[in-house]
Amino acid sequence: MESSPSSDQNDVSASETPTSSVSSPYRRTYSDISGLSHRFDVQSFYNRPSNTNAVVHEEDLSEDAVEPKDNVDGDGEDHDRDSDIDSAEDAELEMMRERFAKLLLGEDMSGSGKGVCTAVTVSNSITNLYATVFGQSLRLQPLSTEKKDLWKREMNCFMSICDYIVEVIPRSLGNNVEITETKLRSDILMNLPALRKLDNMLMDILDGFTENEFWYVERGSSSMNSNNGGRDSGSFRKVVVQRKDEKWWLPVPCVPAEGLSENERKNLRHKRDCANQIHKAALAINDSTLNDMDIPDSYLTTLPKSGKASVGDVIYKQLCTAEKFYPDQLLDILKISSEHEALELADKVEASLVTWRRKTGGLAHSKSSWDMMKDMGGDAGNDKNHILAARARSLLFCLKQRFPELSQTSLDICKIQYNRDVGKAVLESYSRVLEGLAYNVVSWIDDVLYVDRTVRNRDD
């Protein structure tokens, strides 16, 4: 993934690891011990009864109040249990203090004020949490109970921040009396519940891979019969390694010699369709959130004076001369063969898009996602810069559809790096990690179906 522009305050460096099939431009610095686990009631912690402050009444010292001698062991067990609970609560409170301190310090433990802002800290934390929970998940199988609980607990804490991000709305009571009310900000009210739903749907899809007709073997292992119930799998290695988009760290999917049953194939296709729809929904939310973020001045200063200088003569000619613009045909003409070329083109098109929007005055305020969709649906007026911006936007959208695993563009990374809105940081990072997980699920199912299709074609 292309690294973001350097910044003294917000240093968000690219991190690529072969243990995860989705790369991220953020640091993977995540503590082994979670500090955002169960919500802890501090008030009840300090108000709980203390043995040292207990008041002893004389009637409590009577013979009737004395416990039988044979219950001494039980009292000891209760005391040990209470001590364990107190120790766990103390450890939980200490971890919350540590995480709260890191949030205030902006991940700069020296306290010198060189840390990143709160929005970037939250975004990094969600990215690191995703890497911790899903970074080693490379196959179609349910998450372990420990990781699933960790993901839910920590994400609930991150999303609880949005409970306090509100907007003030005036309301008239009549007789010239007007009051103000607060409600959740509109973007959070609309997108956060949708992201929660997408998250639960992805977990349900992964939980459904319990009794499968396919299995996995580690690439390069000497035995191809591990975890396959004794079924022959000697021919599957040759089938899989012929794929051009193979990644060496992924395990090899295997199927029975006769292929998958019809019910299994139907079930896989259904789950693939669901995961693909989740991917599209998360991508739409992420794109909308990024569009609403302000463009940093540091990015604007790097733009050329004309959009033509960004995209080049060939693309510019197609954008401005055709009566009706078809982005798919332009991409076919360009013959993009790799993700690196696609990302390079996306950066150029996005730079020209911003340049043309500046000339039309469209950068005074961030455009809403609805305005973006209207621009894509037409030529947005007769002004030449409006037309070029709308067509560049549709070309960029089509490019991302053709390359769904495309890394974030330089503008997107710069927006995240300089973003100060905590609510947008939560929505962007949450939608981004869900988008990556959904794409992985689709890819893993495609791998299994590819092997199954190849085996059945050989038999025919």
Side-chain angles (χ1 to χ4, degrees), residues 404-419:
E405 201 179 3
L406 190 67
S407 303
Q408 287 179 315
T409 62
S410 299
L411 177 57
D412 291 343
I413 295 174
C414 193
K415 283 183 174 182
I416 297 171
Q417 181 181 356
Y418 289 94
N419 173 52

Side-chain angles (χ1 to χ4, degrees), residues 322-381:
E323 294 182 1
K324 190 66 177 179
F325 179 66
Y326 299 97
D328 286 317
Q329 293 182 1
L330 178 55
L331 292 179
D332 293 337
I333 295 174
L334 297 176
K335 296 181 180 179
I336 302 174
S337 58
S338 66
E339 182 181 339
H340 176 74
E341 294 178 359
L343 182 59
E344 185 178 0
L345 175 61
D347 284 335
K348 293 178 180 179
V349 173
E350 204 161 42
S352 63
L353 169 62
V354 175
T355 302
W356 289 322
R357 285 180 57 196
R358 290 181 71 185
K359 292 182 178 180
T360 61
L363 292 183
H365 300 282
S366 295
K367 272 195 173 185
S368 66
S369 57
W370 172 244
D371 292 333
M372 291 290 186
M373 294 303 296
K374 287 194 297 183
D375 287 352
M376 291 172 55
D379 286 340

Side-chain angles (χ1 to χ4, degrees), residues 166-238:
V166 297
E167 56 187 4
V168 179
I169 301 176
R171 185 166 71 91
S172 176
L173 298 179
N175 298 326
N176 296 325
V177 178
E178 190 176 78
I179 64 174
T180 58
E181 296 178 338
T182 59
K183 72 170 186 176
L184 284 180
R185 208 170 66 187
S186 57
D187 58 335
I188 295 175
L189 186 62
M190 179 176 61
N191 292 323
L192 193 58
L195 291 174
R196 287 177 180 267
K197 180 65 175 179
L198 297 178
D199 190 350
N200 293 332
M201 292 172 65
L202 278 175
M203 294 300 107
D204 291 340
I205 291 176
L206 291 177
D207 289 340
F209 290 104
T210 52
E211 299 180 358
N212 308 314
E213 296 181 9
F214 59 89
W215 65 97
Y216 290 91
V217 294
E218 294 300 329
R219 194 176 304 279
S221 61
S222 58
S223 175
M224 298 294 293
N225 293 324
S226 60
N227 299 327
N228 63 357
R231 291 168 288 189
D232 178 35
S233 59
S235 62
F236 298 117
R237 176 195 294 272
K238 184 177 181 181

